[in-house]
Amino acid sequence: MILYKPGAQFLYKGRTVSVDYVIIKRTGLWIRLADSDTVCRPEELTPLGQGASLAG
C-alpha cells in the first residue's frame, strides 16, 4: 500500500510533484498536487522518495 501524505513526492507525467492533500469522493480517491490546480488519480503517480512510503 502506498501512503499519500502531504509533502510526499511522486513522479507525474515526467515531472516531480508533491501531494497537497487527498480528496475522498463517491467516485474514489483523488490527489491534489501542491503548487498547482492539478487533481489526479493515485494510479497516475509513481512513488519517488521517503515521503511516499510503501506499507504492507
Side-chain angles (χ1 to χ4, degrees), residues 1 8 11-12 15-16 20 22-24 26 29 32 34-35 39 41 44 48 51 54-55:
M1 177 192 334
L11 187 62
Y12 176 71
R15 61 187 175 105
T16 302
D20 191 10
V22 175
I23 304 164
I24 302 172
R26 290 182 186 175
L29 189 67
R32 170 73 183 244
D35 300 327
V39 177
R41 302 280 299 172
E44 298 177 67
L48 278 184
L54 296 174

Side-chain angles (χ1 to χ4, degrees), residues 11-46:
L11 187 62
Y12 176 71
K13 294 187 177 181
R15 61 187 175 105
T16 302
V17 297
S18 296
V19 171
D20 191 10
Y21 57 88
V22 175
I23 304 164
I24 302 172
K25 295 184 177 183
R26 290 182 186 175
T27 57
L29 189 67
W30 295 84
I31 309 295
R32 170 73 183 244
L33 302 179
D35 300 327
S36 73
D37 291 334
T38 305
V39 177
C40 66
R41 302 280 299 172
E43 48 274 358
E44 298 177 67
L45 300 173
T46 303

